Amino acid sequence: MTDYGIVIVSHQKDVAKGIVALIREVAKDVAITYVGGTEDGGIGTSFEQVAATISQNPKDKLLAFFDLGSAKMNLEIAIETSDKQVELMLVPILEGSYTAAALLQANAAIDMIKSELSEMTLNK
């Protein structure tokens, strides 16, 4: 199986959970960790939760997907403090993570996956 895992960060728990449920339909063997919302169940993200989500993923190389600005900011800070190799993907969270997971499940080369994702790049 692949050396890469996926991290999903959303401002809302049900959004993150729903994306993972959809991905599981095509990528049952890909290591995915996710976080959505704040610790008290509200809308938002926190550095501590994002860092923990990165840490909890069993893979040392991760592709990270996010929905909104503070999720990106918290991911950037968490990436700087992590020993893992985490790449922030500037693509739509649903389409990008689904595509990456399906290709990881199919054992596609990481360069090919990044090439496919680059066609989805957003100016976030």
Side-chain angles (χ1 to χ4, degrees), residues 5-8 20 23-24 27 30-34 57-58 101:
I6 290 179
V7 172
I8 305 285
V20 173
I23 289 171
R24 286 283 172 234
V30 176
I32 302 171
T33 50
Y34 70 93
N57 194 296

Side-chain angles (χ1 to χ4, degrees), residues 7-13 15-17 20 33-38 44-46 49-51 53-54 65 93:
V7 172
I8 305 285
V9 180
S10 174
H11 279 67
Q12 211 280 334
K13 181 179 179 179
V15 169
K17 188 175 179 180
V20 173
T33 50
Y34 70 93
V35 62
T38 60
T45 63
S46 77
Q49 287 182 284
V50 172
T53 300
I54 290 171
F65 300 87
I93 188 172

Side-chain angles (χ1 to χ4, degrees):
M1 186 72 322
T2 182
D3 291 337
Y4 279 81
I6 290 179
V7 172
I8 305 285
V9 180
S10 174
H11 279 67
Q12 211 280 334
K13 181 179 179 179
D14 291 335
V15 169
K17 188 175 179 180
I19 289 170
V20 173
L22 186 61
I23 289 171
R24 286 283 172 234
E25 294 295 315
V26 296
K28 294 187 184 329
D29 301 319
V30 176
I32 302 171
T33 50
Y34 70 93
V35 62
T38 60
E39 290 176 10
D40 64 0
I43 302 293
T45 63
S46 77
F47 161 76
E48 292 81 10
Q49 287 182 284
V50 172
T53 300
I54 290 171
S55 178
Q56 291 164 359
N57 194 296
K59 300 294 183 173
D60 290 328
K61 298 177 185 176
L62 303 170
L63 301 176
F65 300 87
F66 65 96
D67 59 3
L68 300 170
S70 67
K72 178 184 179 192
M73 179 188 69
N74 283 316
L75 265 168
E76 288 171 335
I77 297 167
I79 289 168
E80 288 178 17
T81 63
S82 177
D83 293 334
K84 296 186 180 203
Q85 178 185 325
V86 185
E87 296 183 57
L88 189 62
M89 308 310 298
L90 302 177
V91 299
I93 188 172
L94 175 58
E95 295 88 341
S97 60
Y98 184 91
T99 298
L103 292 171
L104 287 170
Q105 180 70 36
N107 290 317
I110 194 64
D111 290 340
M112 192 275 268
I113 295 169
K114 289 178 187 178
S115 176
E116 287 291 317
L117 293 176
S118 73
E119 295 179 19
M120 298 179 196
T121 300
L122 299 173
N123 293 322
K124 287 189 173 185

